[in-house]
Amino acid sequence: MAGAAPSEEALRRALAERQAAVDAQAEAVRSLKASGAKAGVDAAVEALKALKIEAGAAARRLQASVGSGGGAAREEMRQAVVNTLERKLFYIPSFKIYRGVAGLYDYGPPGCAVKSNVLAFWRQHFVLEENMLEVDCPCVTPEVVLKASGHVEKFTDLMVKDEKTGTCYRADHLLKDFCKDKLEKDLTLSPETAAEFKRVLAVLDDLSPEELGAKIKEYGIVAPDTKNPLSAPYPFNLMFQTSIGPTGLSVGYMRPETAQGIFVNFKDLYYYNGQKLPFAAAQIGQAFRNEISPRQGLLRVREFTLAEIEHFVDPEDKSHPKFVDVADLEFLMFPRELQLSGESAKLTKLAEAVSKGTVNNETLGYFIGRVYLFLTRLGIDKCRLRFRQHLPNEMAHYAADCWDAEIECSYGWIECVGIADRSAYDLKAHSEKSGVPLVAHEKFSKPREVEKLVIVPSKKDLGLAFKGNQKMVVEALEAMSEKEAMDMKAALESKGEMNFQVCTLGKDVVITKKMVSISMEKKVEHQRVFTPSVVEPSFGIGRIIYCLFEHSFYTRPSKSEEEQLNVFRFPPIVAPIKCTVFPLVKNQEFDDAAKVLAKELTAAGISHIIDTTGISIGRRYARTDEIGVPFAVTVDSATEVTIRERDSKQQVRVGIDEVASVVKELTEGQSTWTDISFKYPSHIGPQADQE
Amino acid sequence: MAGAAPSEEALRRALAERQAAVDAQAEAVRSLKASGAKAGVDAAVEALKALKIEAGAAARRLQASVGSGGGAAREEMRQAVVNTLERKLFYIPSFKIYRGVAGLYDYGPPGCAVKSNVLAFWRQHFVLEENMLEVDCPCVTPEVVLKASGHVEKFTDLMVKDEKTGTCYRADHLLKDFCKDKLEKDLTLSPETAAEFKRVLAVLDDLSPEELGAKIKEYGIVAPDTKNPLSAPYPFNLMFQTSIGPTGLSVGYMRPETAQGIFVNFKDLYYYNGQKLPFAAAQIGQAFRNEISPRQGLLRVREFTLAEIEHFVDPEDKSHPKFVDVADLEFLMFPRELQLSGESAKLTKLAEAVSKGTVNNETLGYFIGRVYLFLTRLGIDKCRLRFRQHLPNEMAHYAADCWDAEIECSYGWIECVGIADRSAYDLKAHSEKSGVPLVAHEKFSKPREVEKLVIVPSKKDLGLAFKGNQKMVVEALEAMSEKEAMDMKAALESKGEMNFQVCTLGKDVVITKKMVSISMEKKVEHQRVFTPSVVEPSFGIGRIIYCLFEHSFYTRPSKSEEEQLNVFRFPPIVAPIKCTVFPLVKNQEFDDAAKVLAKELTAAGISHIIDTTGISIGRRYARTDEIGVPFAVTVDSATEVTIRERDSKQQVRVGIDEVASVVKELTEGQSTWTDISFKYPSHIGPQADQE
């Protein structure tokens, strides 16, 4: 299967070419439309359609190839990326000299620079573009907050222990590994047993502790390291617990997400925003999950950076004024129906997904579109990015709709961004627990007269009749719908009493006329008070970065063709170092010119490195290609230098005093390499020969 | 004493004027020198000296005024700042709806923006300018790392408990408050008792738990809230403890500083840097201290952002090639001698402090200078910034020298940056604990022949003679100096034996010739292996920001003079929002023009807000002055607009399509307001009238 890789690469290239053609044609259509030249438009649109069909076919061919296996090739590719990443200190297992801690990683210099570039672009793309209110809250969080949010009770994984050594395992992982292993390797499986294992894999996330335990017993699964028997599964809370202050009495946790810090500040932020909806708050920060047994390298870690947005919106109006800006985007979407019918993700136009109701509302759709733009501008391959809708069993009961941006890497499709319409759940939970109303107001332009149902239980009479059950009867009465209440009113008025079912008591009780007063009253209202809905895009920054590493990595032969050289094709905004400066040979004049140039680059805020080692220029290029530096400046005179672009290896001659501004334009996106290569003479010189 | 405030303000103004005059004259001297016009230089230098003397006097007058009291005025000023900061959501007590947690604060939108601007400038000023290797390590840290660093054993404060309620207090705080209170309020104190209290305050940090406890008993200090008796003081470790992984067996802590993450990575970073010294690594991140009873608002918190640099340098060469760049800086320094003799800080030239040995070495001096530039460019008032050297009792035994950048605010002089030469302590501690040598190599250009003392104890003979004491005798023999060893060699050769003192045994033993062989051997060495020294500038970002808030705050009367308006005079790089856009009146044309402008600002990466509320322009200016927005753009036509500068209130007319680039130049520091006000026509129009 190792032979599958080049063909996959070829398919990828074919797809990329077709998509580029689609983009170019779409641009042509747009400019034709803008120019008003009606004549050509129809033909251009037809051509666009044909190109899209071709691109779709290419995407399917690629998907089929990737899906059908290539496991060994993937493993090989991952090893090549990971080796380069570790050798170049993109990341380092934390506390390595003490033999490390599972699930904790450091970003070394280039990784740290990539991370800070990704976060800076996130701020530009989301916070600045949408005027979001960014906040910064502590990681240490008191228990009450996480009780309200449900994390203390429910943020758990099921764990089993080796009964002799005490080693802990995730129960679902063991069951999953067992079933997969059987399906892959046991050739004697009966069709019925195989079907049973497949069914278990499909419902794995829904199994209760008891069901999981029963399966583990039934299959005779034992501890993988020792073959000892395992305990029954029990929930383990994934939060790191600590104690706030010196008394030891005040329990705290390291936050498992940054969102709660925003919810508890809703009231202040709403006032800060002039009491207007919609608005969004955002937060970038560390979050912590004490994983039972971290696997998958950088993808499942115990501490990670989240970037979260909470967009608060009127539940009665989830339209978005800027939806038009993203409506024409087209990308791989994987709605519920396609998943359930066993099909694969389809290229879908966002406008269509929203108008058909596949995506619940415009605001959710807007953020899906913005996330797509964010990820692809970072350098995520659009053929390996899909938006997958949560299945009903994955989604919290309160959520209106939920989509994950999943990126395909050597570990499979990885959830990197979750985009959820969480309705009013979080604000209501904190309102209730804290007693502080977290609500918004809509002032009416003129007061409105409304009829309101008023139910007043007589606690005295109910208390006499129901004693300890009084509270539950009162709650049931107050919870009646308008119809139920008006029916009761009629019954009480005609018969004086009626039977009434109280679910919480599990029985009917007899309600008499004096026990409750029911009426419809007219009221003048000046405003509507409501709990806003929240649409939450939540970004796992470390996962995005890891996928970006894989998508950006490729190898190409050295000039002598004796070895394969590693390259990261990071776009300039992501690249850890924007440019390198090489004096062509060791020489005082070139060294001095290089130093002056470095000063100018610093002043322009462009990260760079000087390499004066004097080794061959080809070697020096290879070194910086390996950390994804997009531009290399070779100093071979005091007045003019060569700038070389990483992927095309093209070179141009530029006056030394223009270099800083040229590189700045390139890295800030005001110019492309094509612009620059048209503007300046191209260069084929001694340094070019060395590649 | 409340009346002291205006006079202090006046003194401050006077000092600032004098310093501006010094700066201008220094500039004049420089350009005269550059022009080669020898004639005028001497006179200009004389004038500069005179101006400096005047500035020095102004500084002393101000210091005297501030030092002599003004407590009530300070308190009042602090209240005004803090009210504005809280009202405008610069910060928010964390988890406020749950009544908060002492020592935890959120940054709200403008505070968060200021913080991210300060950090971006820190990266530009330190990481980029010096090509530092930035890393990003987790907060969760295993115990072994913090055992090696000494934090598990020594990162403690002394605590006492209310014996009835269990409430905890910092023992030194109680003693300090008691002594201060007595000195301030008890008019019956005898001179001897007063002197005793002063002595206690001076040695407070050096008292052992027993001594502290004895003083608390002697003075009859009780729990401040209940008047109950207090327990004896005992150490409380300030680290938040947690448990890593599910077994509960692996102790971890939330890091108390970011430095350890760098030290444990030294080996990899040294290789990454091509095995060359010096180099610096840097890290920005959260740190945690579980304070016993946090006070002083934002200055003493339980979670905070640190920015730390570890500059690794050859202990035999602590010169710095760029020291010349900062050598001429002159600012308030407060070396040990001045502190011990009761004098105050003095304006000192950095070059002088280093050449006289007041500052231990050039590298330490270089960073002191860079820190000075960093803080003053952020907007810290140079008259309220001093560099204070640690007294011998404050400094760790291994440190070579240590200076704190202290900023004066309403809480007094606050340590905001520590700059320490920690010698080889940290790397040695981790080498020892981990067994991984954290060392550097200096390759000799040609191999060197050296004579080395070789002592080979004969364990067999020593074992026969000394049995259980053999090990201690061996160690004593191996620890001999060259002279001792050569003396022994001579004695053994002439007499066959000699008496030898073994300290660890507390007695002399007889060593015979066959027990040890001693020789000088010639060896060829190719390199020197050594543990680098580390110079560590460590920045408390939250403290710097709080001081910046106080230093940037002022009030000025509204146009009607009926109220005082709050202003933050943040420099553009720090300002949370760079500019506001106001359509002059509600009007479709102006609104549309404002929207186009906003898009251009976004594209240029400039944070801004549009205020279309249509309230008076003066009100709108006041609103944005209060969060320190430096530039306001008023749109009163579709082609030309007015830009107004916050502090001068000056206005210029600029073409609408130039606005984004003008504001970008201003905020990135390529142009000053003076440049712009020369380039564009000034404006006195209706909006100006409203201020």
Side-chain angles (χ1 to χ4, degrees), chain A residues 63-135:
Chain A
Q63 272 191 357
S65 152
V66 172
S68 74
R74 280 185 182 201
E75 188 63 42
E76 205 176 291
M77 182 274 209
R78 184 197 302 157
Q79 270 318 316
V81 183
V82 164
N83 286 346
T84 311
L85 291 173
E86 289 210 28
R87 190 162 37 77
K88 287 299 190 177
L89 297 196
F90 277 88
Y91 70 88
I92 309 163
S94 300
F95 317 113
K96 206 168 90 175
I97 61 171
Y98 293 104
R99 272 171 293 153
V101 175
L104 293 179
Y105 293 90
D106 300 341
Y107 289 95
C112 188
V114 166
K115 183 180 168 189
S116 98
N117 293 338
V118 167
L119 292 177
F121 180 59
W122 193 87
R123 279 208 173 93
Q124 164 77 23
H125 186 82
F126 291 106
V127 178
L128 190 63
E129 187 90 34
E130 318 280 346
N131 274 306
M132 291 177 181
L133 306 181
E134 191 180 344
V135 300

Side-chain angles (χ1 to χ4, degrees), chain B residues 486-553:
Chain B
M486 295 324 284
D487 287 351
M488 179 178 278
K489 185 181 166 72
L492 293 181
E493 273 165 16
S494 58
K495 300 180 206 154
E497 63 171 54
M498 78 171 272
N499 276 356
F500 178 61
Q501 195 191 9
V502 180
C503 296
T504 46
L505 291 177
K507 64 173 182 184
D508 281 14
V509 298
V510 176
I511 299 292
T512 64
K513 203 173 170 183
K514 60 179 180 180
M515 289 180 187
V516 61
S517 116
I518 297 168
S519 57
M520 291 299 289
E521 286 179 15
K522 285 193 178 163
K523 269 192 162 181
V524 173
E525 288 196 337
H526 298 266
Q527 61 178 2
R528 181 168 73 95
V529 178
F530 60 96
T531 306
S533 279
V534 59
V535 173
E536 175 189 87
S538 170
F539 298 71
I541 296 297
R543 289 182 168 195
I544 293 171
I545 289 175
Y546 177 76
C547 292
L548 190 58
F549 288 154
E550 280 203 9
H551 288 202
S552 305
F553 184 78

Side-chain angles (χ1 to χ4, degrees), chain B residues 181-198:
Chain B
D181 207 57
K182 281 284 180 191
L183 284 168
E184 276 171 25
K185 295 182 190 157
D186 188 345
L187 302 172
T188 67
L189 278 192
S190 71
E192 295 75 33
T193 322
E196 147 84 0
F197 288 151
K198 281 182 189 159

Side-chain angles (χ1 to χ4, degrees), chain A residues 273-344:
Chain A
N273 200 54
Q275 302 183 60
K276 271 185 236 141
L277 282 187
F279 76 92
Q283 180 165 204
I284 296 172
Q286 293 302 89
F288 303 81
R289 298 190 186 185
N290 197 7
E291 297 286 349
I292 293 170
S293 52
R295 341 196 253 187
Q296 297 191 310
L298 290 178
L299 294 177
R300 188 163 293 279
V301 290
R302 286 176 164 151
E303 181 177 338
F304 46 95
T305 301
L306 280 182
E308 297 192 298
I309 295 166
E310 309 298 328
H311 180 89
F312 298 102
V313 59
D314 186 338
E316 292 179 10
D317 177 12
K318 293 185 181 175
S319 66
H320 196 292
K322 287 160 79 179
F323 181 71
V324 287
D325 297 350
V326 296
D328 285 340
L329 290 175
E330 197 169 33
F331 43 79
L332 289 173
M333 295 191 86
F334 201 16
R336 224 167 266 157
E337 304 77 59
L338 292 186
Q339 295 170 56
L340 293 172
S341 63
E343 293 172 74
S344 48

Side-chain angles (χ1 to χ4, degrees), chain A residues 87-89 92-98 100-102 104-110 112-113 115-116 123-124 128-129 131-142 144-145 148 159 161 166-169 236 239-247 254-255 260-261 263-265 267-269 272 276 282 286 288 290-293 302-303 305 325 429-431 433-436 438 577 599 601-610 612-613 627 664 668 670, chain B residues 87-89 92-98 100-102 104-110 112-113 115-116 123-124 128-129 131-142 144-145 148 159 161 166-169 236 239-247 254-255 260-261 263-265 267-269 272 276 282 286 288 290-293 302-303 305 325 429-431 433-436 438 577 599 601-610 612-613 627 664 668 670:
Chain A
R87 190 162 37 77
K88 287 299 190 177
L89 297 196
I92 309 163
S94 300
F95 317 113
K96 206 168 90 175
I97 61 171
Y98 293 104
V101 175
L104 293 179
Y105 293 90
D106 300 341
Y107 289 95
C112 188
K115 183 180 168 189
S116 98
R123 279 208 173 93
Q124 164 77 23
L128 190 63
E129 187 90 34
N131 274 306
M132 291 177 181
L133 306 181
E134 191 180 344
V135 300
D136 180 14
C137 309
C139 301
V140 174
T141 306
V144 62
V145 173
M159 177 159 93
K161 270 194 180 176
T167 308
C168 303
Y169 301 95
F236 171 73
M239 291 193 292
F240 284 97
Q241 189 176 328
T242 190
S243 171
I244 305 174
T247 61
M254 302 313 297
R255 64 181 174 192
Q260 303 306 324
F263 296 136
V264 300
N265 280 323
K267 201 177 156 190
D268 279 346
L269 294 171
Y272 186 82
K276 271 185 236 141
Q286 293 302 89
F288 303 81
N290 197 7
E291 297 286 349
I292 293 170
S293 52
R302 286 176 164 151
E303 181 177 338
T305 301
D325 297 350
H430 286 295
S431 287
K433 189 88 179 174
S434 68
V436 176
L438 302 177
I577 304 279
K599 265 205 166 162
L601 290 168
T602 300
I606 297 165
S607 62
H608 60 277
I609 33 177
I610 307 196
T612 56
T613 48
I627 56 168
K664 195 173 166 78
E668 291 184 353
Q670 286 112 9
Chain B
R87 191 162 37 76
K88 287 298 189 177
L89 298 196
I92 309 163
S94 300
F95 318 112
K96 204 168 93 176
I97 62 171
Y98 293 104
V101 175
L104 293 179
Y105 293 91
D106 299 341
Y107 288 96
C112 188
K115 183 179 168 190
S116 96
R123 279 209 173 92
Q124 163 78 25
L128 190 62
E129 187 89 35
N131 275 307
M132 291 177 181
L133 306 181
E134 191 179 346
V135 300
D136 179 13
C137 310
C139 302
V140 174
T141 305
V144 62
V145 172
M159 178 159 93
K161 270 194 180 176
T167 308
C168 302
Y169 301 95
F236 171 73
M239 291 193 292
F240 284 98
Q241 189 177 327
T242 190
S243 172
I244 305 175
T247 60
M254 304 312 299
R255 63 178 175 195
Q260 301 307 323
F263 295 135
V264 299
N265 281 323
K267 200 178 157 191
D268 279 345
L269 294 171
Y272 186 82
K276 272 185 234 139
Q286 293 302 91
F288 303 82
N290 197 6
E291 297 286 349
I292 293 170
S293 52
R302 285 176 164 152
E303 181 177 337
T305 301
D325 296 351
H430 285 295
S431 287
K433 190 87 179 175
S434 68
V436 176
L438 303 176
I577 305 278
K599 266 204 166 161
L601 290 168
T602 299
I606 297 164
S607 63
H608 59 277
I609 33 178
I610 307 196
T612 56
T613 49
I627 56 168
K664 194 174 168 76
E668 291 183 353
Q670 286 111 9

Side-chain angles (χ1 to χ4, degrees), chain B residues 103-175:
Chain B
L104 293 179
Y105 293 91
D106 299 341
Y107 288 96
C112 188
V114 166
K115 183 179 168 190
S116 96
N117 293 338
V118 167
L119 292 177
F121 180 58
W122 193 88
R123 279 209 173 92
Q124 163 78 25
H125 187 80
F126 292 105
V127 178
L128 190 62
E129 187 89 35
E130 318 281 346
N131 275 307
M132 291 177 181
L133 306 181
E134 191 179 346
V135 300
D136 179 13
C137 310
C139 302
V140 174
T141 305
E143 186 167 44
V144 62
V145 172
L146 296 159
K147 271 194 171 157
S149 69
H151 285 91
V152 171
E153 199 192 335
K154 290 183 186 156
F155 193 62
T156 56
D157 274 342
L158 291 172
M159 178 159 93
V160 288
K161 270 194 180 176
D162 180 320
E163 287 199 332
K164 289 187 183 153
T165 66
T167 308
C168 302
Y169 301 95
R170 257 183 73 167
D172 59 341
H173 280 178
L174 293 188
L175 183 56

